[in-house]
Amino acid sequence: QVQLVESGGGLVQPGGSLRLSCVASGFTFTSYAMYWYRQAPGKERDLVASISSNSGDTSYADSVKGRFTVSRDNVKNTVYLQMNSLKPEDTAVYYCKAVRAFRTYWGQGTQVTVSS
């Protein structure tokens, strides 16, 4: 059974930090590129960060560059998103996605709320 399970979301004050995790199972994790997306109510789902299967290439949306870091542990089958200096506009449901060729898998999402 293919699963992507996100965790680590919650309520944090502006300027604070959170680390999101996405644990994969049921497929060959090491062969897949991994992506983080986010979606606020009434808005489009936007790409936040990506990381290649071998961790050699990473990319970030302009809005999070310098604040967020994506990484992966291919032994633990887990991808991470370290989020620092959080802003209210970072509030959204965050989703992880796995892609290899024509195969795409999505997680269920985890809520991040940045508010005082």
Side-chain angles (χ1 to χ4, degrees):
Q1 181 183 356
V2 172
Q3 286 193 66
L4 292 172
V5 181
E6 300 97 331
S7 63
L11 176 64
V12 65
Q13 295 186 89
S17 298
L18 286 173
R19 189 180 76 160
L20 305 184
S21 299
C22 176
V23 180
S25 61
F27 63 97
T28 306
F29 178 79
T30 55
S31 298
Y32 284 72
M34 299 297 297
Y35 301 79
W36 285 99
Y37 286 78
R38 67 186 182 187
Q39 186 170 29
K43 297 185 177 180
E44 297 291 323
R45 186 173 298 187
D46 294 326
L47 179 63
V48 176
S50 65
I51 186 166
S52 61
S53 59
N54 64 1
S55 301
D57 297 308
T58 58
S59 65
Y60 301 91
D62 288 341
S63 59
V64 306
K65 284 182 179 177
R67 300 188 297 121
F68 290 11
T69 303
V70 62
S71 62
R72 68 191 293 162
D73 185 334
N74 285 344
V75 175
K76 296 182 178 179
N77 287 0
T78 302
V79 62
Y80 303 95
L81 186 66
Q82 179 66 48
M83 306 186 295
N84 299 325
S85 301
L86 284 162
K87 305 174 180 179
E89 50 263 46
D90 295 319
T91 296
V93 177
Y94 284 71
Y95 300 88
C96 65
K97 182 179 76 172
V99 176
R100 182 181 187 272
F102 64 92
R103 299 183 187 274
T104 300
Y105 305 119
W106 286 92
Q108 303 94 308
T110 185
Q111 176 71 50
V112 172
T113 303
V114 184
S115 176
S116 59

